[in-house]
Structure formats: structure tokens, C-alpha cells
Amino acid sequence: MAKQQEGEQLTVGLYPFANIASNYSSYTQMLSGEFNKISPNTQLQLVIGDDFNPYAPDLGPYLGEDGFDILELDMARKDDFKDKVVEVPLEPFRYLAPSVEAVRVDEGKYIGYPTLCCGNFIMEVKRKGELAVDIGDKNYEEFRSSSQIADVAMVQSTSSHFKHLLGGKLDDKYGWYLPSIYLNAYIEVYGKQNVQKGINDVLANNPDQLVIDRIKEFFNLFPKEQQSTSKIIDDVVKGEIAYFYGFSENLGKILAAANGSLKAFGVITPTLGSKNLVFVFTDGIVINKARYEKATTEKKELIQQFVQFYTSSRIREAIVTGKDLNPPQTRYLLPSNVEFFHITNDLVYQELYEMVKHGVSSPSMTQSTRVRMEKILHNIIFLEE
């Protein structure tokens, strides 16, 4: 291996995960400290937050010659950047199947290394010492085994203890909720092989009526007024919502906000169909082609060294279990590498693993396509009578 030049600079844009947002300092300090142990001469610049927006309409500035060496991006946007990053070797057996699919651009060709994944789950939390939530004559075990929305919709009116059966964010202007919920339900009905038709139908303002009806039925279990994520979390902590619907990392935020008074009881997939498939998003590390092609041999080796470091099982475990925090706080982020799930004793993580390993990878769409779908679906689902 060539000797690394002293003071070599490396710039990395890190994904701003939801429940790392208030802990950027401890997160980046942990990563910098650990990487310094194996590469002490590197001037490592980790950028997260305001100076790196992975949801920017145009990722070009980040992927140009003046951009980052390495970026962590949502692979559901790979159509926006797949020609601007380096093709990489990948060992698929190390990762969850949906995450492998997310970074694949062709058979045997990959453009990134999976880091973390997420999906929308239905989660129950309860006060310590309490039994599972009892909703009418259906307890949690019956609820989690339901395969049709109608099986759980009937219990909505029987609950008097809670203001709402379900709480969760359902749409946003950036296109990361409604299009995904629609396509998740579409796949449940018609299978993944027809997902592109599902996208095209919505863009033509002609979404599938069966899917729309199923989503509306599901949404009827939520409050009529859309709430912010912070308000939803507050209501869960106060015991006004029986089940939380959302990304698993929000479970970590709920438990942290409860200050030890709550604990996770279990998770299930949304009941949008009979297949019980969860829609999986994957974030991955990609290498900026414009900078890599002009880099020295030493710089290329340094880039590869950081990628191996950041995707290692040791660092994945440290991130998801919040070892940088004092005291440590499990974040319930989902590592894309399977090794973590084989060693963790956390029962919630084990349940999440059973779902995501059989999940369906979100199809790649450009940001503009997502926004168009969001507007069309919002008008049909929320505005039409």
C-alpha cells in the first residue's frame, strides 16, 4: 500500500438522521475519534446539517469537483445521481436484501455501500409495568396478526382510553410519505413487478382506485387533522395515542422524550394488504466520481479506508445503540448490515429484523417525480370527497 501523505484531506457529507439531529456534535466527535485511531494523519471533515442537504432538488454542487469526496444519500434518489458516483464492489451477503437492491443499478453492478435503512412501522409503547394496550376486544397480538385494514378499523370506536388509535405523519411537500404509502399498498395488491405502472398511473392523474380506497380506510384510523411529528410524539408520551405509525428511529425519540417512563412493546407492518411487506428505504455511502477520478493513489486509498471504517459492523453498532451519547440511548435506526441483528438481544430490533429482511426496496424516483406524486395523491386522498 502506498504511504499516505501527511495531512491528506477528506470531506464527507453525512446523512442527518432524524434522532441524531440534536446530537451532531457527539456523533461526529465519535466518528472522528475512531477514524483518527486508524488514520491519525488525515484531516477529516465531517459535514452534517445545514451545510449538506441530501434532499436538495439539485445534488450537483455536492457531486462536482468542488463537492464532497464521499456522501451518504438516500438510495431512493439514485436516479438523481447514479451517473455521478463510482461503481463499487459489494458483498451482498453482508446486507439486508432490500438494501442490496437499493444500491444495485444493474445485475452485479452497485453504486454504493448500504449503511442504514428505515420503513414505516406500527409501534406500541406502554408505561413500564403495564400490560399490552387493550383496544376493545382486540389485544395487541390480534392486532399485529390482522391482514386487512377492515379487521382493525372496526375497533376504532371501541377505544375510550385513547383519543386516537393511530398517530403518525402521512404526507409532506417533499414527497416522502404519500408516494411511498401508495406504492407500498400497490405492491401489496399487484406485486413489485408492476410498481412502475403504479408510478405512471399516478403521474397520469389516474391512480388505482382499489389502492386509494385501501389507503383512505387506513387513514381513517388517524386524527383528521395532520399533526407535526413533535406533536405526535408528545401525544404518544402522554398516552393519548395507542399506536405510533412511522420510522423506527422515531421510537428512539419517543422513549427519550418519555425520560424512562415508557418502553417499546412491539412493532408490526402497516395493514395495507395481505402480504405484510414493509417498504424499505436505504441510505448508502457513495463516492464522488468527479473527485475520485482526479485523486492521487494515496487519496483513493484513503477514501476506501473511510468507507470500510464507516460501514464496519463495529461502527454500525455504535451508531444505532447511541454509544456516543451520555448515557447511551438506543436510536432504533436500522443498520443495513445483517451482522448486528444476529448479535443484538433487543427484542424490538429482532422484530424489526424479521420485517425488513423480507421487505421491499423503495423504487428509485427523482425528487421531482416524488413531489408530483405527492401533490396528486394529496388532492385525491385529503381533498376529494
Side-chain angles (χ1 to χ4, degrees):
M1 178 180 288
K3 183 178 179 180
Q4 179 188 322
Q5 181 179 348
E6 185 172 351
E8 190 80 71
Q9 293 184 346
L10 186 66
T11 59
V12 182
L14 294 175
Y15 191 90
F17 303 105
N19 56 355
I20 287 178
S22 60
N23 303 297
Y24 287 156
S25 179
S26 64
Y27 179 56
T28 55
Q29 285 177 11
M30 177 189 71
L31 293 174
S32 295
E34 290 297 316
F35 190 66
N36 184 65
K37 294 177 182 178
I38 60 176
S39 186
N41 295 325
T42 300
Q43 296 181 34
L44 178 63
Q45 182 182 8
L46 300 177
V47 181
I48 185 171
D50 293 340
D51 293 326
F52 173 50
N53 177 15
Y55 295 110
D58 180 15
L59 295 173
Y62 301 134
L63 287 163
E65 292 185 13
D66 296 325
F68 296 103
D69 295 307
I70 301 169
L71 304 88
E72 191 168 24
L73 295 171
D74 194 319
M75 302 309 294
R77 284 194 69 182
K78 67 186 175 189
D79 283 358
D80 280 327
F81 58 79
K82 61 185 179 183
D83 296 329
K84 299 178 182 179
V85 298
V86 177
E87 185 180 324
V88 299
L90 191 77
E91 298 175 306
F93 65 88
R94 291 185 55 201
Y95 304 99
L96 294 164
S99 292
V100 173
E101 184 178 349
V103 298
R104 182 168 51 219
V105 291
D106 204 349
E107 189 62 36
K109 293 184 178 180
Y110 307 95
I111 59 168
Y113 297 91
T115 52
L116 293 169
C117 61
C118 64
N120 279 313
F121 306 94
I122 296 173
M123 296 168 277
E124 181 181 2
V125 294
K126 65 188 181 82
R127 303 207 173 274
K128 291 187 174 180
E130 289 181 353
L131 298 175
V133 169
D134 185 14
I135 305 177
D137 59 354
K138 280 185 174 288
N139 62 25
Y140 181 76
E141 287 304 316
E142 293 171 53
F143 185 43
R144 67 169 283 150
S145 64
S146 299
S147 61
Q148 298 294 331
I149 299 169
D151 293 340
V152 295
M154 60 181 287
V155 308
Q156 183 181 19
S157 61
T158 68
S159 173
S160 59
H161 179 67
F162 302 96
K163 283 188 176 180
H164 306 291
L165 182 65
L166 283 166
K169 195 171 181 181
L170 302 176
D171 69 337
D172 73 341
K173 64 181 180 180
Y174 302 108
W176 289 91
Y177 287 86
L178 279 182
S180 300
I181 293 169
Y182 176 87
L183 293 176
N184 197 167
Y186 191 92
I187 289 170
E188 286 277 313
V189 176
Y190 299 109
K192 175 123 190 234
Q193 68 275 14
N194 297 306
V195 69
Q196 189 58 51
K197 183 179 185 303
I199 296 172
N200 294 341
D201 287 348
V202 173
L203 295 176
N205 208 22
N206 185 35
D208 186 89
Q209 191 58 49
L210 174 61
V211 174
I212 291 294
D213 290 344
R214 187 163 290 189
I215 291 173
K216 285 184 175 181
E217 191 176 0
F218 180 58
F219 283 9
N220 281 337
L221 303 175
F222 292 78
K224 296 301 181 185
E225 297 296 324
Q226 286 289 290
Q227 298 174 298
S228 66
T229 300
S230 60
K231 178 64 167 62
I232 295 165
I233 289 174
D234 186 51
D235 284 350
V236 173
V237 172
K238 290 190 298 185
E240 296 182 354
I241 291 175
Y243 296 94
F244 174 78
Y245 170 75
F247 295 141
S248 62
E249 55 261 39
N250 280 317
L251 178 59
K253 295 178 73 173
I254 290 170
L255 297 180
N259 198 26
S261 64
L262 298 177
K263 70 174 183 177
F265 183 77
V267 290
I268 58 176
T269 58
T271 51
L272 291 171
S274 59
K275 299 182 178 64
N276 287 320
L277 297 172
V278 67
F279 217 50
V280 179
F281 292 97
T282 295
D283 301 303
I285 282 287
V286 299
I287 299 171
N288 182 351
K289 183 187 293 186
R291 289 178 65 83
Y292 191 78
E293 290 180 344
K294 292 182 176 296
T296 63
T297 300
E298 292 80 2
K299 180 65 174 283
K300 289 179 178 178
E301 290 179 351
L302 177 60
I303 289 172
Q304 296 295 340
Q305 187 179 42
F306 182 86
V307 168
Q308 292 173 14
F309 157 81
Y310 191 65
T311 58
S312 68
S313 296
R314 180 176 66 87
I315 294 301
R316 296 292 92 204
E317 180 183 2
I319 292 171
V320 301
T321 56
K323 289 186 177 179
D324 56 297
L325 303 177
N326 186 19
Q329 172 71 44
T330 301
R331 289 186 164 114
Y332 286 106
L333 291 161
L334 298 173
S336 293
N337 60 315
V338 299
E339 184 175 346
F340 168 79
F341 296 103
H342 294 158
I343 62 175
T344 181
N345 293 320
D346 189 307
L347 296 178
V348 174
Y349 262 130
Q350 291 177 5
E351 285 200 42
L352 289 166
Y353 177 51
E354 290 303 312
M355 296 172 205
V356 294
K357 73 179 182 181
H358 299 300
V360 177
S361 177
S362 169
S364 177
M365 293 182 283
T366 64
Q367 188 76 350
S368 60
T369 296
R370 287 187 180 279
V371 171
R372 285 174 59 200
M373 288 184 69
E374 181 82 24
K375 289 179 179 178
I376 293 169
L377 291 169
H378 180 89
N379 289 339
I380 292 173
I381 294 172
F382 293 111
L383 302 182
E384 289 186 357
E385 293 296 330

